[in-house]
Amino acid sequence: MNATLMHDAIFYVMYFSLAAALVIIIERSIWFAWTRRQASQLAAVLTTETHALPESVTRRSSVPLRAVQPVLARKAQASAEALSDEVDAQYLLSKAAMTRGLWLLETVVTAAPLLGLLGTVMGIIDTFKALAAAGVSDASQVSAGMGTALYATGLGIAIALVCLVSNNFLQNRMERINELLKVLLLRAATPVQRAEPVAGPQDNGVRRYA
């Protein structure tokens, strides 16, 4: 086993993981901000009496819009139980779009420190092999080699911290959007209250409406 090659390969894997995590963090941050803005615009025009959405909020497709439209389409004909099932289905279908890519951040949070530790072990093995081959007994050279090996552990912990903070931030944004999406779906599924005729002894047979 070539310890030097393994040590270098681990560094490349960690750098690649950091680059991939940064792409996910930037993409999800922009996507969550845009989705929340679309949901807020939809909430401003959607009420329990809405049967069709205005063109101003349907011009651009979004997760909240795709979730609400099927519920509105079935609102007039479907029963309350069918609407409830539709709300649950649309909410579950939105989960895939919300959580896309976040699994990678969670994986990097767990794997980066372990990769760093493995890189340190490989670096230490490589350092002692080089020292033994050259017959060097100078403590300063040993310390320099150990410092280089420990850099892998520090890098792994730093990557994990960046991904952990970013993942918690994105999870919080996703929860806010999910809460707003629940409100939108409940509004879309609420049946319109119709006035019922109320008759009384003083009505003399004439119907009155509440």
Side-chain angles (χ1 to χ4, degrees):
M1 181 179 63
N2 192 327
T4 302
L5 182 61
M6 286 286 295
H7 184 253
D8 293 340
I10 289 169
F11 270 104
Y12 286 125
V13 171
M14 286 196 293
Y15 288 136
F16 176 79
S17 300
L18 177 59
L22 290 176
V23 171
I24 295 296
I25 291 167
I26 294 172
E27 188 273 336
R28 289 287 88 186
S29 297
I30 296 173
W31 190 86
F32 281 145
W34 183 81
T35 301
R36 187 173 182 181
R37 184 168 63 250
Q38 295 297 314
S40 298
Q41 292 176 359
L42 191 58
V45 299
L46 181 63
T47 65
T48 57
E49 298 182 355
T50 302
H51 289 276
L53 295 171
E55 187 181 355
S56 58
V57 296
T58 58
R59 281 196 295 256
R60 303 183 68 178
S61 179
S62 64
V63 169
L65 180 63
R66 292 196 298 268
V68 167
Q69 281 182 325
V71 178
L72 287 177
R74 300 187 60 184
K75 185 174 183 178
Q77 298 86 8
S79 63
E81 184 179 354
L83 280 177
S84 179
D85 292 340
E86 185 68 28
V87 166
D88 292 339
Q90 292 302 322
Y91 183 75
L92 292 175
L93 288 173
S94 68
K95 287 287 188 180
M98 293 286 185
T99 59
R100 186 179 58 203
L102 295 183
W103 66 270
L104 179 61
L105 293 183
E106 297 173 357
T107 302
V108 173
V109 168
T110 304
L114 299 178
L115 285 172
L117 183 60
L118 181 60
T120 295
V121 172
M122 293 295 103
I124 292 173
I125 293 173
D126 186 53
T127 298
F128 280 113
K129 284 178 64 176
L131 292 175
V136 178
S137 59
D138 188 358
S140 63
Q141 295 188 29
V142 176
S143 299
M146 293 288 288
T148 302
L150 289 173
Y151 173 72
T153 298
L155 179 61
I157 294 174
I159 292 173
L161 285 174
V162 170
C163 292
L164 177 62
V165 173
S166 301
N167 185 57
N168 289 341
F169 169 76
L170 293 175
Q171 291 286 348
N172 179 263
R173 298 298 296 270
M174 184 176 67
E175 287 299 321
R176 298 289 182 88
I177 295 174
N178 281 334
E179 290 171 1
L180 187 53
L181 182 59
K182 289 178 185 177
V183 173
L184 292 173
L185 288 170
L186 290 175
R187 285 186 190 177
T190 301
V192 178
Q193 298 295 327
R194 295 180 174 85
E196 296 291 340
V198 178
Q202 73 280 11
D203 294 334
N204 296 323
V206 180
R207 286 187 176 180
R208 297 186 181 181
Y209 292 87

